[in-house]
């Protein structure tokens, strides 16, 4: 049976209409995950919810224990992860409050514990990361978006920066030259760790703001919160269409 997990990011630390059945405080060989695992019923389906930045949104992207988060979900029997993530928009059609299902990643992070395959190995393991997001799960998200009547952008390159500060316009120009369409801070190592543990993984990216230098206006938290409120409401509609699929 498919056991679905939703990792909620900025703007989605709680799920509307989520009926909590059990709250599990878990620990893994990599330490503690960002929050309790919350088992519950969402739109009729049993899912596991994890708040990536903690339930009070107090863990910055570079301090998240990604290994503990992914291991905890694996231990809980999760076979597919839908990652909700707030991002900045780089490409012209990826403006505030838009939804995208990215297809590629470029990793600009440093110093994050990014693999389970480190010590005490029998042999060196290299995962195939040609498709960093599981293609079949991406298709399911796109199909759900379509059925929900949403305009969801199919594909895009997610540039993952270290944060927690936002980027300079020169950094965004460089990311754009590299081919990035979106910029966020949490796709890596989350996606790679899910692949290492053979969990399907795809991302519903919600554009919170134009990336630095892409608009005349200063990026404010107020603007980010307003765009996220709309985008995450659409993300919830997409999840509803996905989870109620017969
Ligand atoms: N840059 C990086 N991460 C982000 C941004 C951004 O502009 N907005 C939301 N997450």
């Amino acid at each position: 049976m498919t056991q679905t997990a939703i990792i909620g990011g900025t703007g989605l630390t709680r799920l509307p209409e989520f009926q909590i059945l059990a709250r599990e405080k878990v620990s893994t060989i990599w330490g503690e995950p960002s929050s309790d695992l919350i088992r519950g019923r969402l739109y009729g389906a049993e899912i596991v919810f994890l708040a990536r930045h903690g339930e009070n949104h107090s863990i910055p992207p570079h301090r998240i224990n990604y290994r503990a988060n992914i291991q905890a979900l694996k231990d809980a029997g999760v076979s597919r992860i839908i990652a909700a993530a707030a991002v900045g928009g780089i490409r012209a059609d990826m403006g505030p409050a838009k939804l995208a299902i990215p297809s590629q990643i470029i990793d600009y992070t440093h110093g994050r514990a990014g693999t389970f395959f480190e010590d005490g190995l029998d042999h060196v393991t290299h995962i195939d990361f040609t498709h960093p997001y599981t293609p079949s799960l991406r298709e399911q998200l796109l199909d759900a978006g379509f059925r929900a009547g949403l305009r969801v952008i199919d594909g895009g390159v997610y540039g993952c920066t270290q944060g927690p500060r936002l980027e300079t316009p020169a950094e965004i120009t460089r990311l754009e030259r590299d081919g990035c369409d979106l910029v966020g801070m949490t796709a890596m190592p989350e996606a790679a760790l899910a692949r290492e543990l053979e969990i399907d993984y795809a991302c519903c990216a919600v554009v919170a703001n134009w990336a630095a230098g892409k608009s005349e206006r200063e990026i404010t938290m107020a603007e980010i919160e307003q765009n996220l409120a709309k985008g995450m409401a659409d993300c919830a509609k997409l999840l509803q269409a996905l989870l109620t699929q017969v």
Side-chain angles (χ1 to χ4, degrees), residues 169-206:
E171 286 169 331
I172 292 299
T173 303
R174 172 190 168 209
L175 263 65
E176 193 171 23
R177 266 200 314 269
D178 285 353
C180 296
D181 302 305
L182 301 161
V183 55
M185 301 176 189
T186 57
M188 289 298 285
E190 200 171 86
L193 292 167
R195 177 63 48 81
E196 284 189 352
L197 295 190
E198 300 180 341
I199 305 174
D200 287 349
Y201 180 95
C203 171
C204 181
V206 177

Side-chain angles (χ1 to χ4, degrees), residues 86-88 161 166-167 183-185 208-212 219 224:
V87 296
T161 55
L166 298 173
E167 299 71 34
V183 55
M185 301 176 189
N209 53 280
W210 283 114
I219 304 170
I224 288 183

Side-chain angles (χ1 to χ4, degrees), residues 14-45:
R14 280 181 191 79
L15 285 166
E17 303 188 41
F18 186 44
Q19 183 197 345
I20 297 176
L21 299 174
R23 195 176 257 282
E24 292 169 13
K25 190 162 200 58
V26 300
S27 186
T28 75
I29 53 168
W30 309 104
E32 314 236 312
S34 299
S35 73
D36 290 349
L37 296 191
I38 308 179
R39 288 187 188 271
R41 199 172 278 285
L42 183 65
Y43 309 119

